[in-house]
């Protein structure tokens, strides 16, 4: 079924090429036919006219000898009003009249083609001249056979055959050229149809060069590479998520089993409290996973104009960190976004800063000095900082550089991944920047 599609393109192009060449070549052939006919006829006519007028002049002067002096390739006859040949050139002596049309007094000279006359095998181009205006005037006929090419239709047959042969050659060439052009497309299609989600590592063949098909193959391979990466990331994420969920479930199960097996040694309150902690942890992981899945799916309708300075001020006011908190916020900076998500982003950055700061947290909000159309929010602490090689890795899901501290404080390992996804969904960026001590997170968002 599928190869049909290709051969249809091939067949369609071939048919179009054939039709166009038949039309164009046909028109050229028709024009050539007219020109050849015109040239051949006018040459023959000139010969007959010259000879005819010479003879009719001699008839009028009474100087015409018998037989009439010949003119090459021209039948010359003088025919009386009774229809009998009175004089003729030697070659035509004794032949019947070449025509029986007698020009009238008003129209003494006539040119026409006579076919099928007895005694004449070929069609003749005749010049008939009434010698005088007298009613019994003789008629001079000068006639030359028409070229066979014109009377037999041979010219049209030859031209038609040439048109058909050339059109067939053009169609054949088109068929082969389109076939050759489409061959790589067919190879790409065949390879793509074999590539399934289970084998995204395969690539389509890339023809050499820079033409459209080579670009198509490269784009297809690029798409496959990204798909493969996306599928790998999804698999990794599903496996990480299961692993993260399994840890609190295993702890919960162990506690409950222990309580069932040793009911007398069990402090029920402690067991329930531990179970609640594990449930809380499960809940926060699931809530974060759900949030991650939803970021960026709300569409523009979920967005509103937000006074970002106020938003940050309110978030800082809610907090009572054990370290000093310095804020330097430029007033009146607004953004266009989803309020809940921006609050969550701030919350995650400030939670981490509080968790790692030793003495001090600094929050700054300005216009980005590098691009005036963006805001720049930095959240810096003076904690252990993030080593240069880990500055991108910390944004990956479930990455924890400091497992003990992160787990003990209820971190799910998704906080920075969520924060970055929110920044990206708002057409912004979130990165870790250099700072003299501790970590410094920089959020850049476009201003409306
Ligand atoms: P978690 O829930 O573990 O905090 P995050 O995604 O928020 O998850 O952070 C990922 C990791 O990045 C943390 O485990 C920690 O190792 C590192 N990190 C985040 N913020 C800071 C910070 N302010 N200082 C040092 N390390 C940090």
């Amino acid at each position: 079924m599928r190869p049909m599609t290709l051969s249809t393109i091939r067949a369609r192009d071939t048919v179009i090429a054939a039709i166009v060449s038949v039309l164009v070549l046909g028109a050229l052939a028709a024009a050539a036919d007219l020109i050849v006919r015109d040239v051949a006829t006018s040459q023959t006519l000139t010969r007959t006219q010259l000879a005819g007028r010479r003879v009719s002049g001699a008839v009028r002067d009474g100087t015409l000898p018998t037989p009439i002096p010949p003119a090459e390739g021209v039948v010359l006859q003088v025919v009386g009003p009774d229809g009998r040949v009175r004089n003729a050139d030697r070659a035509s002596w004794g032949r019947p009249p070449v025509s029986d049309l007698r020009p009238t007094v008003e129209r003494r000279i006539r040119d026409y083609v006579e076919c099928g006359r007895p005694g004449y095998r070929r069609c003749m181009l005749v010049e008939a001249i009434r010698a005088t205006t007298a009613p019994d005037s003789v008629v001079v006929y000068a006639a030359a056979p028409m070229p066979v090419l014109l009377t037999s239709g041979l010219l049209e047959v030859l031209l038609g055959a040439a048109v058909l042969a050339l059109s067939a050659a053009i169609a054949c060439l088109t068929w082969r050229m389109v076939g050759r052009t489409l061959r790589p497309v067919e190879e790409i299609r065949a390879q793509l149809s074999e590539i399934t989600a289970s084998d995204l590592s395969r690539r389509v063949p890339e023809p050499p060069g820079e033409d459209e098909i080579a670009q198509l193959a490269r784009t297809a391979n690029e798409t496959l590479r990204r798909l493969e990466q996306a599928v790998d990331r999804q698999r990794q994420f599903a496996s990480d998520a299961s692993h993260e969920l399994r840890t609190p479930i295993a702890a919960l199960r162990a506690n409950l089993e222990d309580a069932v097996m040793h009911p007398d040694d069990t402090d029920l309150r402690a067991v329930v409290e531990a179970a609640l902690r594990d449930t809380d942890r499960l809940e926060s992981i699931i809530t974060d996973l759900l949030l991650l899945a939803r970021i960026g799916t709300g569409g523009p309708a979920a967005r509103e104009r937000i006074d970002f300075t106020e938003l940050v001020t309110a978030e800082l006011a809610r907090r009572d960190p054990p370290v000093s908190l310095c804020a330097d916020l430029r007033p009146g900076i607004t953004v266009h976004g989803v309020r809940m998500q921006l609050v969550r982003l701030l919350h995650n950055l400030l939670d981490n800063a509080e968790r790692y700061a030793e003495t001090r947290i600094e929050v700054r909000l300005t216009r980005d000095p590098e691009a005036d159309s963006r805001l720049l929010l930095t959240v810096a602490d003076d904690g252990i900082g993030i080593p240069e090689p880990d500055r991108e890795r910390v944004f990956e899901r479930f990455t924890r550089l400091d497992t003990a501290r992160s787990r003990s404080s209820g971190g799910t390992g998704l906080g920075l991944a969520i924060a970055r996804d929110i920044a990206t969904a708002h057409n912004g960026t979130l990165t870790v920047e250099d700072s003299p001590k501790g970590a410094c997170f920089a959020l850049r968002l476009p201003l409306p």
Side-chain angles (χ1 to χ4, degrees), residues 276-288:
L276 276 176
R277 271 199 305 281
D278 288 332
T279 319
D280 280 350
R281 183 158 178 72
L282 281 171
E283 205 178 335
S284 14
I285 294 177
I286 290 168
T287 312
D288 279 0

Side-chain angles (χ1 to χ4, degrees), residues 281 288 348-349 351-357 379-381 383-387 390 393-403 405-407 409-418 438-441:
R281 183 158 178 72
D288 279 0
N348 288 3
L349 291 184
D351 269 5
N352 280 347
E354 270 183 30
R355 195 178 302 154
Y356 292 95
V379 177
D381 61 63
I384 50 172
I386 300 174
D390 294 323
R393 207 162 68 80
V394 287
F395 293 104
E396 287 171 16
R397 296 158 184 193
F398 300 117
T399 299
R400 294 191 187 91
L401 304 180
D402 177 6
T403 316
R405 188 185 315 211
S406 171
R407 279 239 167 83
S409 59
T412 59
L414 292 170
L416 288 179
I418 290 175
C440 174
F441 285 87

Side-chain angles (χ1 to χ4, degrees), residues 2-11 182-183 185-186 189:
R2 273 181 250 118
M4 269 303 290
T5 325
L6 276 187
S7 62
T8 306
I9 290 177
R10 199 178 183 188
L182 289 183
R183 199 174 307 134
V185 177
E186 168 57 14
R189 185 206 61 72

Side-chain angles (χ1 to χ4, degrees), residues 304-316 328-347 349-350 363-367 374-379 419 422-423 426 429-430 441-448:
E304 56 182 312
R305 205 185 169 95
I306 298 164
D307 187 329
F308 198 64
T309 314
E310 262 178 27
L311 197 84
V312 179
T313 313
E315 182 58 29
L316 293 178
D328 176 8
L329 310 179
R330 182 183 163 139
I333 291 191
T334 55
V335 288
H336 196 69
V338 185
R339 181 179 292 273
M340 289 293 293
Q341 291 183 359
L342 292 174
V343 168
R344 180 62 194 256
L345 190 162
L346 283 176
H347 183 84
L349 291 184
L350 291 168
V363 180
R364 260 178 226 286
L365 174 62
T366 57
R367 275 174 181 265
R374 288 187 308 202
L375 68 80
L376 171 63
L377 174 85
T378 52
V379 177
I422 292 174
H426 284 75
T429 58
L430 177 63
F441 285 87
L443 168 72
R444 289 181 172 84
L445 290 180
L447 294 169

